[in-house]
Amino acid sequence: MRGASLRAIAGPAVGSELELGDGEFMVGRESVTGNPLSQDLEISRRHARIIRAGAVTVIEDLGSSNGTFLNGQRITSRQVLVSGDEVRVGRTVLVLEDPQQATVVRPQLPEPEVHAPDERAPAPARARPQPPRTRNNGIAIQGLVREFGIRRVVDGIDLQVAPGAIQGFLGPNGAGKSTTVHMLTTLLPPTGGTASIAVTTSSRRARACAPRSASRCRKPRSIR
């Protein structure tokens, strides 16, 4: 079976491929014969290190001048790589190709069924969408979306958290974890969808409570 590799898809080394074996792999401009990264002058001599053990691949920055970016986010600690992840060092963009891993694919929601209208009866009035219901101090999220320009960071999240339950968000850098929390705390308005916390609804027109008005926010109310 073909082993894991890093393929350059942008930058001076575009088209080249770096084979990854078990152990450590140094990413940088070190004077090694045939090193394609030596053409990128924005890469440090010892820029980053990739550690591979079996099917697990980890990357860490080695204090480089221009930083190491994983899927557009600068890393400050060791990060796990999965097949399809993009790593940018200098002007070079590398994509991990690992046959032992399945590339992460976002599941597609089924297309809604379309029925022909009944000509004998008038079409019913379109009901105004209602926010998801939640009991007491529970959390209910429905179709939550956040976009920054043409980039969609949060893509239609649906979530129900019962009162007293504890849940956490897991995902790589840039997955939208912090953005989702900011929308739940009304620090950031969503582009679409609704989220209710203790019957307080966060929508596209939501306004955050002032820090000194926390006592007034304890009473369940709708934020418009």
PDB file of all heavy atoms in Angstrom, residues 82-115:
ATOM      1  N   VAL A  82      -5.248  14.953   9.567  1.00  0.00           N
ATOM      2  CA  VAL A  82      -6.028  13.903   8.920  1.00  0.00           C
ATOM      3  C   VAL A  82      -5.903  14.071   7.420  1.00  0.00           C
ATOM      4  O   VAL A  82      -5.564  15.159   6.927  1.00  0.00           O
ATOM      5  CB  VAL A  82      -7.512  13.942   9.347  1.00  0.00           C
ATOM      6  CG1 VAL A  82      -7.660  13.701  10.834  1.00  0.00           C
ATOM      7  CG2 VAL A  82      -8.158  15.268   8.968  1.00  0.00           C
ATOM      8  N   SER A  83      -6.174  13.021   6.702  1.00  0.00           N
ATOM      9  CA  SER A  83      -6.032  13.055   5.252  1.00  0.00           C
ATOM     10  C   SER A  83      -6.916  14.156   4.670  1.00  0.00           C
ATOM     11  O   SER A  83      -8.095  14.272   4.989  1.00  0.00           O
ATOM     12  CB  SER A  83      -6.433  11.704   4.664  1.00  0.00           C
ATOM     13  OG  SER A  83      -6.167  11.670   3.276  1.00  0.00           O
ATOM     14  N   GLY A  84      -6.325  14.998   3.828  1.00  0.00           N
ATOM     15  CA  GLY A  84      -7.047  16.114   3.236  1.00  0.00           C
ATOM     16  C   GLY A  84      -6.740  17.443   3.885  1.00  0.00           C
ATOM     17  O   GLY A  84      -7.094  18.492   3.334  1.00  0.00           O
ATOM     18  N   ASP A  85      -6.095  17.440   5.068  1.00  0.00           N
ATOM     19  CA  ASP A  85      -5.725  18.692   5.722  1.00  0.00           C
ATOM     20  C   ASP A  85      -4.693  19.443   4.885  1.00  0.00           C
ATOM     21  O   ASP A  85      -3.837  18.844   4.237  1.00  0.00           O
ATOM     22  CB  ASP A  85      -5.145  18.423   7.113  1.00  0.00           C
ATOM     23  CG  ASP A  85      -6.221  18.244   8.161  1.00  0.00           C
ATOM     24  OD1 ASP A  85      -7.394  18.568   7.858  1.00  0.00           O
ATOM     25  OD2 ASP A  85      -5.902  17.798   9.275  1.00  0.00           O
ATOM     26  N   GLU A  86      -4.788  20.778   4.925  1.00  0.00           N
ATOM     27  CA  GLU A  86      -3.838  21.627   4.205  1.00  0.00           C
ATOM     28  C   GLU A  86      -2.922  22.329   5.200  1.00  0.00           C
ATOM     29  O   GLU A  86      -3.393  22.945   6.155  1.00  0.00           O
ATOM     30  CB  GLU A  86      -4.577  22.659   3.344  1.00  0.00           C
ATOM     31  CG  GLU A  86      -5.340  22.034   2.187  1.00  0.00           C
ATOM     32  CD  GLU A  86      -5.959  23.079   1.272  1.00  0.00           C
ATOM     33  OE1 GLU A  86      -5.761  24.290   1.537  1.00  0.00           O
ATOM     34  OE2 GLU A  86      -6.634  22.706   0.306  1.00  0.00           O
ATOM     35  N   VAL A  87      -1.626  22.244   4.963  1.00  0.00           N
ATOM     36  CA  VAL A  87      -0.607  22.870   5.805  1.00  0.00           C
ATOM     37  C   VAL A  87       0.118  23.917   4.965  1.00  0.00           C
ATOM     38  O   VAL A  87       0.604  23.610   3.867  1.00  0.00           O
ATOM     39  CB  VAL A  87       0.396  21.820   6.332  1.00  0.00           C
ATOM     40  CG1 VAL A  87       1.502  22.493   7.126  1.00  0.00           C
ATOM     41  CG2 VAL A  87      -0.325  20.783   7.186  1.00  0.00           C
ATOM     42  N   ARG A  88       0.166  25.154   5.479  1.00  0.00           N
ATOM     43  CA  ARG A  88       0.880  26.219   4.756  1.00  0.00           C
ATOM     44  C   ARG A  88       2.119  26.616   5.537  1.00  0.00           C
ATOM     45  O   ARG A  88       2.046  26.962   6.707  1.00  0.00           O
ATOM     46  CB  ARG A  88      -0.011  27.440   4.543  1.00  0.00           C
ATOM     47  CG  ARG A  88       0.735  28.584   3.822  1.00  0.00           C
ATOM     48  CD  ARG A  88      -0.237  29.626   3.309  1.00  0.00           C
ATOM     49  NE  ARG A  88      -0.942  30.305   4.379  1.00  0.00           N
ATOM     50  CZ  ARG A  88      -0.468  31.356   5.042  1.00  0.00           C
ATOM     51  NH1 ARG A  88       0.752  31.816   4.771  1.00  0.00           N
ATOM     52  NH2 ARG A  88      -1.188  31.930   5.986  1.00  0.00           N
ATOM     53  N   VAL A  89       3.250  26.554   4.864  1.00  0.00           N
ATOM     54  CA  VAL A  89       4.525  27.021   5.400  1.00  0.00           C
ATOM     55  C   VAL A  89       5.113  27.967   4.359  1.00  0.00           C
ATOM     56  O   VAL A  89       5.296  27.601   3.204  1.00  0.00           O
ATOM     57  CB  VAL A  89       5.480  25.843   5.701  1.00  0.00           C
ATOM     58  CG1 VAL A  89       5.004  25.058   6.897  1.00  0.00           C
ATOM     59  CG2 VAL A  89       5.609  24.922   4.508  1.00  0.00           C
ATOM     60  N   GLY A  90       5.399  29.196   4.777  1.00  0.00           N
ATOM     61  CA  GLY A  90       5.860  30.172   3.799  1.00  0.00           C
ATOM     62  C   GLY A  90       4.806  30.408   2.735  1.00  0.00           C
ATOM     63  O   GLY A  90       3.646  30.654   3.027  1.00  0.00           O
ATOM     64  N   ARG A  91       5.210  30.307   1.461  1.00  0.00           N
ATOM     65  CA  ARG A  91       4.260  30.440   0.353  1.00  0.00           C
ATOM     66  C   ARG A  91       3.819  29.083  -0.188  1.00  0.00           C
ATOM     67  O   ARG A  91       3.104  29.018  -1.190  1.00  0.00           O
ATOM     68  CB  ARG A  91       4.900  31.273  -0.774  1.00  0.00           C
ATOM     69  CG  ARG A  91       5.147  32.731  -0.388  1.00  0.00           C
ATOM     70  CD  ARG A  91       5.712  33.546  -1.545  1.00  0.00           C
ATOM     71  NE  ARG A  91       7.038  33.090  -1.934  1.00  0.00           N
ATOM     72  CZ  ARG A  91       7.392  32.746  -3.158  1.00  0.00           C
ATOM     73  NH1 ARG A  91       6.507  32.769  -4.127  1.00  0.00           N
ATOM     74  NH2 ARG A  91       8.629  32.367  -3.425  1.00  0.00           N
ATOM     75  N   THR A  92       4.241  28.021   0.474  1.00  0.00           N
ATOM     76  CA  THR A  92       3.949  26.657   0.018  1.00  0.00           C
ATOM     77  C   THR A  92       2.764  26.075   0.779  1.00  0.00           C
ATOM     78  O   THR A  92       2.710  26.156   2.009  1.00  0.00           O
ATOM     79  CB  THR A  92       5.176  25.756   0.203  1.00  0.00           C
ATOM     80  OG1 THR A  92       6.284  26.299  -0.542  1.00  0.00           O
ATOM     81  CG2 THR A  92       4.886  24.350  -0.284  1.00  0.00           C
ATOM     82  N   VAL A  93       1.827  25.490   0.046  1.00  0.00           N
ATOM     83  CA  VAL A  93       0.677  24.809   0.646  1.00  0.00           C
ATOM     84  C   VAL A  93       0.806  23.318   0.358  1.00  0.00           C
ATOM     85  O   VAL A  93       0.931  22.906  -0.795  1.00  0.00           O
ATOM     86  CB  VAL A  93      -0.659  25.349   0.097  1.00  0.00           C
ATOM     87  CG1 VAL A  93      -1.836  24.582   0.710  1.00  0.00           C
ATOM     88  CG2 VAL A  93      -0.789  26.836   0.379  1.00  0.00           C
ATOM     89  N   LEU A  94       0.793  22.519   1.435  1.00  0.00           N
ATOM     90  CA  LEU A  94       0.930  21.071   1.331  1.00  0.00           C
ATOM     91  C   LEU A  94      -0.369  20.411   1.787  1.00  0.00           C
ATOM     92  O   LEU A  94      -0.977  20.843   2.771  1.00  0.00           O
ATOM     93  CB  LEU A  94       2.084  20.578   2.212  1.00  0.00           C
ATOM     94  CG  LEU A  94       3.457  21.226   1.972  1.00  0.00           C
ATOM     95  CD1 LEU A  94       4.402  20.895   3.113  1.00  0.00           C
ATOM     96  CD2 LEU A  94       4.044  20.751   0.650  1.00  0.00           C
ATOM     97  N   VAL A  95      -0.800  19.390   1.097  1.00  0.00           N
ATOM     98  CA  VAL A  95      -1.997  18.641   1.484  1.00  0.00           C
ATOM     99  C   VAL A  95      -1.575  17.220   1.856  1.00  0.00           C
ATOM    100  O   VAL A  95      -0.762  16.598   1.170  1.00  0.00           O
ATOM    101  CB  VAL A  95      -3.052  18.631   0.363  1.00  0.00           C
ATOM    102  CG1 VAL A  95      -2.518  17.956  -0.891  1.00  0.00           C
ATOM    103  CG2 VAL A  95      -4.326  17.955   0.832  1.00  0.00           C
ATOM    104  N   LEU A  96      -2.106  16.732   2.994  1.00  0.00           N
ATOM    105  CA  LEU A  96      -1.767  15.386   3.448  1.00  0.00           C
ATOM    106  C   LEU A  96      -2.611  14.363   2.700  1.00  0.00           C
ATOM    107  O   LEU A  96      -3.837  14.472   2.645  1.00  0.00           O
ATOM    108  CB  LEU A  96      -2.020  15.256   4.959  1.00  0.00           C
ATOM    109  CG  LEU A  96      -1.808  13.853   5.542  1.00  0.00           C
ATOM    110  CD1 LEU A  96      -0.345  13.439   5.430  1.00  0.00           C
ATOM    111  CD2 LEU A  96      -2.260  13.795   6.991  1.00  0.00           C
ATOM    112  N   GLU A  97      -1.948  13.371   2.132  1.00  0.00           N
ATOM    113  CA  GLU A  97      -2.626  12.259   1.464  1.00  0.00           C
ATOM    114  C   GLU A  97      -2.209  10.983   2.179  1.00  0.00           C
ATOM    115  O   GLU A  97      -1.057  10.579   2.126  1.00  0.00           O
ATOM    116  CB  GLU A  97      -2.257  12.209  -0.021  1.00  0.00           C
ATOM    117  CG  GLU A  97      -2.723  13.441  -0.789  1.00  0.00           C
ATOM    118  CD  GLU A  97      -2.346  13.377  -2.258  1.00  0.00           C
ATOM    119  OE1 GLU A  97      -1.503  12.524  -2.618  1.00  0.00           O
ATOM    120  OE2 GLU A  97      -2.877  14.172  -3.042  1.00  0.00           O
ATOM    121  N   ASP A  98      -3.182  10.374   2.879  1.00  0.00           N
ATOM    122  CA  ASP A  98      -2.896   9.191   3.682  1.00  0.00           C
ATOM    123  C   ASP A  98      -3.909   8.099   3.353  1.00  0.00           C
ATOM    124  O   ASP A  98      -5.079   8.179   3.732  1.00  0.00           O
ATOM    125  CB  ASP A  98      -2.970   9.535   5.171  1.00  0.00           C
ATOM    126  CG  ASP A  98      -2.446   8.402   6.046  1.00  0.00           C
ATOM    127  OD1 ASP A  98      -2.231   7.295   5.513  1.00  0.00           O
ATOM    128  OD2 ASP A  98      -2.247   8.626   7.252  1.00  0.00           O
ATOM    129  N   PRO A  99      -3.504   7.045   2.632  1.00  0.00           N
ATOM    130  CA  PRO A  99      -4.437   5.969   2.276  1.00  0.00           C
ATOM    131  C   PRO A  99      -4.993   5.231   3.489  1.00  0.00           C
ATOM    132  O   PRO A  99      -6.031   4.579   3.390  1.00  0.00           O
ATOM    133  CB  PRO A  99      -3.585   5.030   1.410  1.00  0.00           C
ATOM    134  CG  PRO A  99      -2.430   5.856   0.948  1.00  0.00           C
ATOM    135  CD  PRO A  99      -2.170   6.835   2.042  1.00  0.00           C
ATOM    136  N   GLN A 100      -4.320   5.325   4.650  1.00  0.00           N
ATOM    137  CA  GLN A 100      -4.793   4.619   5.837  1.00  0.00           C
ATOM    138  C   GLN A 100      -5.929   5.369   6.547  1.00  0.00           C
ATOM    139  O   GLN A 100      -6.522   4.846   7.472  1.00  0.00           O
ATOM    140  CB  GLN A 100      -3.643   4.408   6.830  1.00  0.00           C
ATOM    141  CG  GLN A 100      -2.511   3.569   6.286  1.00  0.00           C
ATOM    142  CD  GLN A 100      -1.466   3.299   7.343  1.00  0.00           C
ATOM    143  OE1 GLN A 100      -1.780   2.904   8.457  1.00  0.00           O
ATOM    144  NE2 GLN A 100      -0.204   3.514   7.005  1.00  0.00           N
ATOM    145  N   GLN A 101      -6.190   6.610   6.106  1.00  0.00           N
ATOM    146  CA  GLN A 101      -7.254   7.394   6.712  1.00  0.00           C
ATOM    147  C   GLN A 101      -8.302   7.700   5.661  1.00  0.00           C
ATOM    148  O   GLN A 101      -8.004   7.818   4.473  1.00  0.00           O
ATOM    149  CB  GLN A 101      -6.720   8.714   7.284  1.00  0.00           C
ATOM    150  CG  GLN A 101      -5.740   8.548   8.419  1.00  0.00           C
ATOM    151  CD  GLN A 101      -5.266   9.894   8.924  1.00  0.00           C
ATOM    152  OE1 GLN A 101      -5.640  10.930   8.407  1.00  0.00           O
ATOM    153  NE2 GLN A 101      -4.446   9.877   9.954  1.00  0.00           N
ATOM    154  N   ALA A 102      -9.498   7.868   6.106  1.00  0.00           N
ATOM    155  CA  ALA A 102     -10.580   8.295   5.212  1.00  0.00           C
ATOM    156  C   ALA A 102     -10.647   9.808   5.243  1.00  0.00           C
ATOM    157  O   ALA A 102     -10.640  10.414   6.306  1.00  0.00           O
ATOM    158  CB  ALA A 102     -11.916   7.703   5.659  1.00  0.00           C
ATOM    159  N   THR A 103     -10.692  10.417   4.069  1.00  0.00           N
ATOM    160  CA  THR A 103     -10.816  11.867   4.002  1.00  0.00           C
ATOM    161  C   THR A 103     -12.122  12.307   4.628  1.00  0.00           C
ATOM    162  O   THR A 103     -13.167  11.717   4.402  1.00  0.00           O
ATOM    163  CB  THR A 103     -10.759  12.344   2.534  1.00  0.00           C
ATOM    164  OG1 THR A 103      -9.532  11.888   1.966  1.00  0.00           O
ATOM    165  CG2 THR A 103     -10.834  13.862   2.450  1.00  0.00           C
ATOM    166  N   VAL A 104     -12.055  13.354   5.467  1.00  0.00           N
ATOM    167  CA  VAL A 104     -13.251  13.845   6.146  1.00  0.00           C
ATOM    168  C   VAL A 104     -14.175  14.493   5.125  1.00  0.00           C
ATOM    169  O   VAL A 104     -13.779  15.387   4.389  1.00  0.00           O
ATOM    170  CB  VAL A 104     -12.879  14.864   7.232  1.00  0.00           C
ATOM    171  CG1 VAL A 104     -14.134  15.429   7.887  1.00  0.00           C
ATOM    172  CG2 VAL A 104     -11.982  14.208   8.274  1.00  0.00           C
ATOM    173  N   VAL A 105     -15.425  14.008   5.046  1.00  0.00           N
ATOM    174  CA  VAL A 105     -16.415  14.537   4.110  1.00  0.00           C
ATOM    175  C   VAL A 105     -17.630  14.982   4.902  1.00  0.00           C
ATOM    176  O   VAL A 105     -18.134  14.232   5.742  1.00  0.00           O
ATOM    177  CB  VAL A 105     -16.817  13.473   3.068  1.00  0.00           C
ATOM    178  CG1 VAL A 105     -17.885  14.019   2.137  1.00  0.00           C
ATOM    179  CG2 VAL A 105     -15.599  13.019   2.276  1.00  0.00           C
ATOM    180  N   ARG A 106     -18.100  16.195   4.680  1.00  0.00           N
ATOM    181  CA  ARG A 106     -19.274  16.694   5.377  1.00  0.00           C
ATOM    182  C   ARG A 106     -20.502  15.968   4.862  1.00  0.00           C
ATOM    183  O   ARG A 106     -20.748  15.923   3.660  1.00  0.00           O
ATOM    184  CB  ARG A 106     -19.444  18.198   5.145  1.00  0.00           C
ATOM    185  CG  ARG A 106     -20.626  18.795   5.924  1.00  0.00           C
ATOM    186  CD  ARG A 106     -20.763  20.264   5.593  1.00  0.00           C
ATOM    187  NE  ARG A 106     -19.576  20.979   5.976  1.00  0.00           N
ATOM    188  CZ  ARG A 106     -19.342  21.408   7.213  1.00  0.00           C
ATOM    189  NH1 ARG A 106     -20.240  21.199   8.149  1.00  0.00           N
ATOM    190  NH2 ARG A 106     -18.246  22.055   7.504  1.00  0.00           N
ATOM    191  N   PRO A 107     -21.305  15.351   5.759  1.00  0.00           N
ATOM    192  CA  PRO A 107     -22.503  14.645   5.291  1.00  0.00           C
ATOM    193  C   PRO A 107     -23.502  15.602   4.682  1.00  0.00           C
ATOM    194  O   PRO A 107     -23.681  16.723   5.144  1.00  0.00           O
ATOM    195  CB  PRO A 107     -23.049  14.007   6.579  1.00  0.00           C
ATOM    196  CG  PRO A 107     -22.490  14.849   7.683  1.00  0.00           C
ATOM    197  CD  PRO A 107     -21.140  15.321   7.203  1.00  0.00           C
ATOM    198  N   GLN A 108     -24.141  15.164   3.616  1.00  0.00           N
ATOM    199  CA  GLN A 108     -25.127  15.974   2.928  1.00  0.00           C
ATOM    200  C   GLN A 108     -26.520  15.620   3.425  1.00  0.00           C
ATOM    201  O   GLN A 108     -26.861  14.448   3.574  1.00  0.00           O
ATOM    202  CB  GLN A 108     -25.037  15.752   1.408  1.00  0.00           C
ATOM    203  CG  GLN A 108     -23.705  16.153   0.808  1.00  0.00           C
ATOM    204  CD  GLN A 108     -23.452  17.644   0.929  1.00  0.00           C
ATOM    205  OE1 GLN A 108     -24.374  18.442   0.821  1.00  0.00           O
ATOM    206  NE2 GLN A 108     -22.202  18.005   1.153  1.00  0.00           N
ATOM    207  N   LEU A 109     -27.318  16.651   3.718  1.00  0.00           N
ATOM    208  CA  LEU A 109     -28.684  16.420   4.134  1.00  0.00           C
ATOM    209  C   LEU A 109     -29.507  15.976   2.937  1.00  0.00           C
ATOM    210  O   LEU A 109     -29.279  16.404   1.809  1.00  0.00           O
ATOM    211  CB  LEU A 109     -29.270  17.710   4.727  1.00  0.00           C
ATOM    212  CG  LEU A 109     -28.604  18.215   6.010  1.00  0.00           C
ATOM    213  CD1 LEU A 109     -29.252  19.525   6.437  1.00  0.00           C
ATOM    214  CD2 LEU A 109     -28.707  17.188   7.118  1.00  0.00           C
ATOM    215  N   PRO A 110     -30.499  15.081   3.151  1.00  0.00           N
ATOM    216  CA  PRO A 110     -31.338  14.641   2.026  1.00  0.00           C
ATOM    217  C   PRO A 110     -32.159  15.788   1.468  1.00  0.00           C
ATOM    218  O   PRO A 110     -32.571  16.702   2.190  1.00  0.00           O
ATOM    219  CB  PRO A 110     -32.228  13.568   2.672  1.00  0.00           C
ATOM    220  CG  PRO A 110     -32.236  13.899   4.134  1.00  0.00           C
ATOM    221  CD  PRO A 110     -30.870  14.463   4.427  1.00  0.00           C
ATOM    222  N   GLU A 111     -32.340  15.751   0.151  1.00  0.00           N
ATOM    223  CA  GLU A 111     -33.133  16.780  -0.502  1.00  0.00           C
ATOM    224  C   GLU A 111     -34.604  16.644  -0.092  1.00  0.00           C
ATOM    225  O   GLU A 111     -35.134  15.528   0.003  1.00  0.00           O
ATOM    226  CB  GLU A 111     -33.021  16.653  -2.035  1.00  0.00           C
ATOM    227  CG  GLU A 111     -31.635  16.946  -2.569  1.00  0.00           C
ATOM    228  CD  GLU A 111     -31.269  18.409  -2.408  1.00  0.00           C
ATOM    229  OE1 GLU A 111     -32.205  19.236  -2.334  1.00  0.00           O
ATOM    230  OE2 GLU A 111     -30.070  18.716  -2.348  1.00  0.00           O
ATOM    231  N   PRO A 112     -35.292  17.762   0.199  1.00  0.00           N
ATOM    232  CA  PRO A 112     -36.700  17.671   0.579  1.00  0.00           C
ATOM    233  C   PRO A 112     -37.556  17.215  -0.590  1.00  0.00           C
ATOM    234  O   PRO A 112     -37.274  17.502  -1.748  1.00  0.00           O
ATOM    235  CB  PRO A 112     -37.044  19.120   0.988  1.00  0.00           C
ATOM    236  CG  PRO A 112     -36.050  19.955   0.251  1.00  0.00           C
ATOM    237  CD  PRO A 112     -34.783  19.141   0.178  1.00  0.00           C
ATOM    238  N   GLU A 113     -38.606  16.455  -0.289  1.00  0.00           N
ATOM    239  CA  GLU A 113     -39.509  15.984  -1.320  1.00  0.00           C
ATOM    240  C   GLU A 113     -40.386  17.138  -1.808  1.00  0.00           C
ATOM    241  O   GLU A 113     -40.827  17.976  -1.033  1.00  0.00           O
ATOM    242  CB  GLU A 113     -40.389  14.859  -0.770  1.00  0.00           C
ATOM    243  CG  GLU A 113     -39.606  13.612  -0.382  1.00  0.00           C
ATOM    244  CD  GLU A 113     -40.538  12.514   0.090  1.00  0.00           C
ATOM    245  OE1 GLU A 113     -41.771  12.730   0.041  1.00  0.00           O
ATOM    246  OE2 GLU A 113     -40.032  11.454   0.497  1.00  0.00           O
ATOM    247  N   VAL A 114     -40.589  17.158  -3.112  1.00  0.00           N
ATOM    248  CA  VAL A 114     -41.400  18.212  -3.732  1.00  0.00           C
ATOM    249  C   VAL A 114     -42.672  17.571  -4.256  1.00  0.00           C
ATOM    250  O   VAL A 114     -42.625  16.614  -5.049  1.00  0.00           O
ATOM    251  CB  VAL A 114     -40.639  18.914  -4.873  1.00  0.00           C
ATOM    252  CG1 VAL A 114     -41.514  19.973  -5.517  1.00  0.00           C
ATOM    253  CG2 VAL A 114     -39.346  19.517  -4.332  1.00  0.00           C
ATOM    254  N   HIS A 115     -43.825  18.071  -3.806  1.00  0.00           N
ATOM    255  CA  HIS A 115     -45.114  17.545  -4.229  1.00  0.00           C
ATOM    256  C   HIS A 115     -45.823  18.576  -5.104  1.00  0.00           C
ATOM    257  O   HIS A 115     -45.713  19.791  -4.877  1.00  0.00           O
ATOM    258  CB  HIS A 115     -45.986  17.216  -3.012  1.00  0.00           C
ATOM    259  CG  HIS A 115     -45.369  16.185  -2.104  1.00  0.00           C
ATOM    260  ND1 HIS A 115     -45.416  14.848  -2.355  1.00  0.00           N
ATOM    261  CD2 HIS A 115     -44.668  16.332  -0.944  1.00  0.00           C
ATOM    262  CE1 HIS A 115     -44.790  14.180  -1.386  1.00  0.00           C
ATOM    263  NE2 HIS A 115     -44.323  15.065  -0.519  1.00  0.00           N
TER     264      HIS A 115
END
